[in-house]
Amino acid sequence: MWGGEFDTLISEKVCVVPGEVSLTQMGLIDDSNLVEEMKNQVEIIVNLAATTKFDERYDVALATNTLGAKHVISFAKQCPNLKLLVHVSTAYVSGEREGHILETPYKLGESLNGMEGLDIATEQKVAEEKFKQLQENGAMEETINLALKDLGLERARMYGWPNTYVFTKAMGEMVVSDPKNNLPLIIIRPTIVTSTYKEPFPGWIEGVRTIDSLILGYAKGKLTCFLGGINSIVDLVPADMVVNMIIMAMVAHKHQPSNQTIYHVGSSARNSMRYIEFKRFNYRYFTENPWINKDGNAVKVGEVTVFNNMASFSRYMNIRYLVFLKGLEFANKAFCHSFQDKYVDTKRKFNLVMRLVELYRPYLFFSAVFDDTNAERLRRDIQNKDTETETFFLDPKDINWEDYFMNAHIPGLVKHVFK
């Protein structure tokens, strides 16, 4: 629509300022005039900054997902004209709960398993002391990274969360939800965000997301088995629906401020998709549009073997790979470590697969439904007040999952990511 004038439009509307939420004052550049101008003019803050790795280093995840939220709150309190703070979290702060999960907040110190003593300052100290200890012991960078990743998973599971990502995001919610802040706040909790449904065009995506690694592995013929409840819900939401909900919530709350509202943005409550459908869509797409490998040959895909519990999957891995690994270990010792490189590489791959399976396990057997009463109320209110918003993609009931996967999501991945 704007053609050659697009860059001019953006330069007039958008001012990019470098920053880093893990630092105090959000790491804003040392220009007191610019910072003061921002504080005086900003009316709405949207905090999307996060690290989303399930097993991120604990110190890194804490600094961004938890303390980052604290620094955003601190900045927001210095903005006299602030009308709204939007904090984007994740629906999976709920952990591995089952049933109907409500749009309710988490309080400071609250754990999922009843374990007492959760304190953010203590968690920060634990991470710092572990890092200091590793450095003093002369640990290599790789050792430090792995130790701090393991520490994050250990602390998360101690309090009932399955991984570092959702644990630190939950603590971030606790920080922003603290009533002492007295700020107009909304929390957006998306489920698994996928490529766009409509805007700016169908199938736009950057990077390999949660389910996309499975699609990529299957397309290349490397994924021949799958662990998961075949009838479990896979709660997906296209990226443009999340963006539209954020925009609509901003409009609604700017005119009718409230202390705090939480919105689940997902599909499980109104238009759920299950893994059996995900499996079928992939088989159909790559049968009709096979992946062309680096040798120029089409990769033939087949039906995937599904293991519906961890025990059967572990048994399969032990028979298929662990026995071979043990044999390779024996041969390596018997022949003076002639197979050392192959043994180390095979063992590393086996351990990586088992680690990834353990990280993703809670989502492969997910049986809960995210209540979206607040989100549905917002959709109805907006549509009743403004007919123009009918062009906004807001309702998960509008999604035809088969059409989306066949004509938008998978083609988008192939075009924008897999190449």
Side-chain angles (χ1 to χ4, degrees), residues 211-231:
I211 63 166
D212 302 330
S213 55
L214 298 175
I215 298 174
L216 178 60
Y218 179 71
K220 293 186 173 184
K222 295 179 180 179
L223 184 70
T224 57
C225 65
F226 176 77
L227 172 69
I230 204 68
N231 289 310

Side-chain angles (χ1 to χ4, degrees), residues 117-379:
L118 175 56
D119 177 73
I120 293 170
T122 300
E123 295 306 307
Q124 186 180 6
K125 187 177 180 182
V126 166
E128 289 172 350
E129 288 181 349
K130 182 68 173 180
F131 181 57
K132 184 180 178 182
Q133 178 191 15
L134 288 162
Q135 282 191 317
E136 289 175 349
N137 292 339
M140 301 291 285
E141 185 69 21
E142 186 178 350
T143 302
I144 292 174
N145 286 338
L146 186 58
L148 289 170
K149 285 183 176 185
D150 287 342
L151 177 64
L153 293 171
E154 176 191 323
R155 301 300 293 185
R157 289 163 183 167
M158 179 187 298
Y159 292 106
W161 279 271
N163 58 60
T164 310
Y165 167 56
V166 293
F167 178 42
T168 52
K169 288 296 284 184
M171 288 191 287
E173 276 201 27
M174 293 175 193
V175 169
V176 300
S177 299
D178 188 350
K180 294 178 184 176
N181 295 327
N182 195 30
L183 291 171
L185 169 72
I186 61 175
I187 295 175
I188 304 287
R189 289 179 182 164
T191 53
I192 300 171
V193 181
T194 54
S195 65
T196 55
Y197 193 77
K198 289 183 178 180
E199 299 163 323
F201 45 81
W204 178 80
I205 191 171
E206 285 186 330
V208 176
R209 303 299 172 187
T210 312
I211 63 166
D212 302 330
S213 55
L214 298 175
I215 298 174
L216 178 60
Y218 179 71
K220 293 186 173 184
K222 295 179 180 179
L223 184 70
T224 57
C225 65
F226 176 77
L227 172 69
I230 204 68
N231 289 310
S232 295
I233 293 172
V234 50
D235 197 327
L236 308 178
V237 57
D240 45 341
M241 178 180 282
V242 179
V243 172
N244 289 344
M245 285 297 295
I246 292 173
I247 293 170
M248 291 295 97
M250 285 162 55
V251 172
H253 287 266
K254 184 179 178 184
H255 297 302
Q256 295 179 338
S258 61
N259 286 337
Q260 183 179 134
T261 307
I262 296 172
Y263 295 102
H264 281 152
V265 186
S267 56
S268 57
R270 301 183 186 278
N271 186 12
S272 62
M273 193 185 90
R274 301 185 182 271
Y275 276 107
I276 192 169
E277 296 171 287
F278 175 67
K279 176 173 171 277
R280 178 169 61 84
F281 300 155
N282 280 285
Y283 177 73
R284 184 185 155 199
Y285 183 87
F286 289 109
T287 300
E288 297 174 4
N289 309 276
W291 177 269
I292 306 301
N293 64 22
K294 61 183 179 181
D295 297 324
N297 299 319
V299 176
K300 186 177 180 180
V301 296
E303 291 284 356
V304 172
T305 302
V306 178
F307 298 96
N308 59 10
N309 58 66
M310 195 69 181
S312 62
F313 178 77
S314 296
R315 198 159 48 243
Y316 169 81
M317 291 295 290
N318 287 338
I319 294 171
R320 182 81 182 268
Y321 298 103
L322 198 56
V323 171
F324 169 75
L325 195 57
K326 290 292 184 183
L328 190 61
E329 181 183 20
F330 176 78
N332 188 46
K333 290 178 180 177
F335 292 94
C336 302
H337 301 281
S338 300
F339 302 100
Q340 181 69 13
D341 290 345
K342 186 172 181 60
Y343 170 70
V344 170
D345 185 58
T346 304
K347 185 178 181 181
R348 181 185 62 80
K349 288 178 179 177
F350 178 83
N351 290 337
L352 177 62
V353 167
M354 298 308 289
R355 183 183 179 91
L356 288 173
V357 163
E358 185 56 36
L359 282 174
Y360 282 97
R361 178 190 52 76
Y363 310 102
L364 299 174
F365 295 97
F366 200 75
S367 58
V369 171
F370 292 106
D371 178 86
D372 66 346
T373 300
N374 290 340
E376 176 62 13
R377 186 182 297 120
L378 177 65
R379 281 190 287 264

